[in-house]
Amino acid sequence: MSIGFSFGWGDCSLRRTGGAEIDAAFGRRAVAAVATLPAPPASPCASFTTGAVMAAATGQERARRVRGWGMVLALMAAVAQAQSPMERDDRTVERLRAEGVRHESGQVVLWTLPGEMPAERAQALAQTLDRTAAAVSALLGRRLDTAHYADDRLHVFVASGIGASHVYAGYDHMAHDRPYLFFDLRKVRRGDAPFAHELAHVLVWRFGSHSLREGLATYVELELAARGEASASGLFGMHDADSAESRAAAIARSDAGLRVLPWIGRNGHADAAVTSLEDESSREAYYVLSQSFVRYLVTSLGLATVLDVHADADPEAALRARSGKPLEAWREAWWSALRASRGRPRSRRRVLTRRAGRWASPSAQPNLRIRPRRVGRVLTRRGGVGLRLRLSPTYELDPVA
C-alpha cells in the first residue's frame, strides 16, 4: 500500500499525490478511528471540497488534533475514491502495455516494467510460466477456453505494488473474458508466487462453489509441487500434501475450524467475514480445509468427477447426482476422518523479529502471513518470563494472497 498526501496549512488544501490502493478493511479501521479523536477545532476554511479539514492552529496540542483529523478524513476520502478490482486491473494492464516490456514463451505473454526485472530473468520467468501452465493443463485435462476468453494466450503482469496474487477481477473473474494473471514483483523475486494456483483458476474458470474453487486450485499446486513440475507458494504453511493435511487436522480441532465448516463445499461464496483479512484464523481455516475437502473428494470420486461438480452452477446437486450422497454426508465422513488423524498445531512460542529498526511480533498482525526467511538473531520469550537471544528463523509479513 502506497499513499501520498500533501497538506496545506494556510488554505486547508489536500492533494492526493499517488494512486492509493486502500483496502476496505483498512478503510473501516480508519473510519472507526474517528470515534477516538477529540472534536475537530473550528476551521477558518469554508470549503470542504478536498474531503479533509486542515485548520491553522497555534500550540502543539491543537496542531496534533488537527493532524489527527486531517489524516483520518484524508484516508476516508481515499477510500471513497478507491477503484474496483476490475478497474485497478485495467489500470495495471494499461500501464504495463504502455510502459512495459513484452516477453513471450509458448502460450504465455509476460509483461514487466523496465528496470524492475532484467530481460534474461524475465524471459526465464516466461518460460517457467509456460511450463507451469502446460503442467496444470495436463493435470486437469483442460486447455485455455478460447470460446470463453477473448484471447488464445495467457497474459501475465508482474510489477511492484500489485499486492495479492490474483486473476483478472478477482472473485468476479468468471464474468469476464480476459485470461489475465497478476503477481507482485516481490513475491516473484522470493520464489513464492502461486503460479499454479492462479493458472488453475484461469483454466477451470467456471465454478459454483468458492470453497471448491480455492480448494481445487491449492490441490493442483500441491500435486504439481510433489511431482516437481511447479513450486508451492506455502500459503498458510501448505508446502506439500502432508503439511497441508497436517494443518487441516489441527484446524479441525480448533474453534476456527468449527466456524468455517458450514461453508466448506457449499454453493456460492462464503460469508465475507470468513475470508476477510481481518480474521486471519478463519481465513486460514477456510483455505486449508477447502483444500483438504477437495483432496478427499478426488481420492474418493476421481479428479474428473470433481471437475464436473466444480463447474456446475449447483455443485451440491451435482455432487449428489454423481455420487448418490449429499454434501452433508460427504462432509461428515471427511470431517470425522480428519479429526481422527494427527495434526500439527502451530507453535505458540512468541518470536520478536527486528524489521525496519523495530522489534515486532508477527502474531500481532492478524491480517498478515508469517513466512520464515532466514536464520538470524531473535529475541524469544519462553513461558512468559524473560527474554533471551538465540538463533532462529526470522519472518516476513505479507498480505495473504
Side-chain angles (χ1 to χ4, degrees):
M1 183 190 308
S2 174
I3 311 171
F5 291 105
S6 174
F7 296 95
W9 286 88
D11 61 358
C12 304
S13 65
L14 166 66
R15 180 168 61 89
R16 185 178 176 187
T17 63
E21 299 294 331
I22 310 292
D23 66 272
F26 185 78
R28 287 195 295 272
R29 290 194 292 272
V31 173
V34 172
T36 68
L37 292 173
S43 171
C45 304
S47 173
F48 296 97
T49 57
T50 60
V53 177
M54 294 303 297
T58 58
Q60 184 176 4
E61 178 62 18
R62 189 173 178 84
R64 184 192 67 79
R65 294 182 182 185
V66 174
R67 285 195 299 271
W69 267 96
M71 286 302 297
V72 170
L73 293 176
L75 290 172
M76 291 170 63
V79 171
Q81 299 173 21
Q83 295 177 313
S84 70
M86 183 181 67
E87 291 171 329
R88 289 196 298 270
D89 289 345
D90 285 339
R91 189 176 61 194
T92 299
V93 170
E94 181 180 1
R95 179 191 175 201
L96 267 73
R97 282 184 165 170
E99 306 173 9
V101 182
R102 177 183 176 123
H103 313 272
E104 299 185 23
S105 180
Q107 62 180 321
V108 169
V109 178
L110 171 66
W111 299 87
T112 61
L113 288 172
E116 287 197 341
M117 184 179 296
E120 299 81 3
R121 183 169 182 182
Q123 189 59 41
L125 176 60
Q127 294 169 358
T128 297
L129 287 164
D130 185 49
R131 288 194 299 269
T132 304
V136 173
S137 179
L139 176 62
L140 295 174
R142 300 287 193 277
R143 301 176 65 86
L144 186 64
D145 188 354
T146 54
H148 169 70
Y149 290 114
D151 205 311
D152 60 356
R153 303 183 79 179
L154 296 158
H155 290 257
V156 181
F157 300 86
V158 175
S160 56
I162 285 179
S165 306
H166 62 282
V167 293
Y168 182 80
Y171 289 165
D172 293 329
H173 177 73
M174 186 169 63
H176 302 278
D177 61 357
R178 299 191 176 187
Y180 296 172
L181 303 93
F182 301 83
F183 299 100
D184 193 276
L185 177 66
R186 190 171 67 142
K187 292 189 176 185
V188 172
R189 285 175 173 170
R190 285 201 314 251
D192 61 0
F195 296 142
H197 182 108
E198 301 301 335
L199 284 165
H201 285 331
V202 172
L203 294 182
V204 286
W205 58 271
R206 186 183 287 109
F207 69 96
S209 164
H210 181 260
S211 171
L212 295 183
R213 175 187 190 247
E214 296 302 327
L216 177 64
T218 305
Y219 167 83
V220 168
E221 177 183 292
L222 297 180
E223 282 298 296
L224 293 179
R227 302 178 185 183
E229 297 176 356
S231 60
S233 62
L235 178 65
F236 298 123
M238 294 185 288
H239 299 282
D240 51 35
D242 289 341
S243 61
E245 288 305 289
S246 182
R247 282 299 304 137
I251 289 172
R253 295 191 291 273
S254 70
D255 292 339
L258 292 174
R259 283 198 305 271
V260 307
L261 178 61
W263 301 101
I264 303 302
R266 183 174 172 176
N267 286 0
H269 288 266
D271 186 85
V274 173
T275 57
S276 170
L277 292 174
E278 294 181 336
D279 187 350
E280 193 251 1
S281 62
S282 292
R283 184 175 172 84
E284 175 191 17
Y286 178 76
Y287 275 81
V288 173
L289 293 180
S290 291
Q291 187 280 150
S292 178
F293 184 59
V294 167
R295 182 173 294 277
Y296 183 83
L297 291 179
V298 170
T299 302
S300 303
L301 300 173
L303 181 56
T305 299
V306 172
L307 288 172
D308 289 341
V309 172
H310 173 277
D312 201 285
D314 186 351
E316 292 184 39
L319 181 61
R320 180 192 291 268
R322 287 166 173 77
S323 69
K325 294 194 298 185
L327 170 65
E328 292 75 12
W330 281 106
R331 196 161 55 191
E332 181 179 353
W334 158 73
W335 190 248
S336 298
L338 195 60
R339 287 175 62 86
S341 63
R342 298 182 60 185
R344 181 179 66 235
R346 285 190 173 180
S347 171
R348 295 184 177 273
R349 185 166 54 203
R350 189 178 181 86
V351 179
L352 305 180
T353 64
R354 188 169 183 81
R355 286 174 52 78
R358 299 183 189 176
W359 289 101
S361 169
S363 60
Q365 306 289 338
N367 61 335
L368 296 175
R369 172 172 55 178
I370 303 173
R371 174 175 296 285
R373 291 297 297 156
R374 62 184 182 277
V375 174
R377 293 178 299 171
V378 301
L379 288 175
T380 311
R381 188 170 73 186
R382 299 179 68 87
V385 180
L387 292 169
R388 72 172 186 170
L389 193 64
R390 70 181 185 87
L391 289 178
S392 176
T394 59
Y395 298 84
E396 282 194 354
L397 306 178
D398 297 317
V400 174

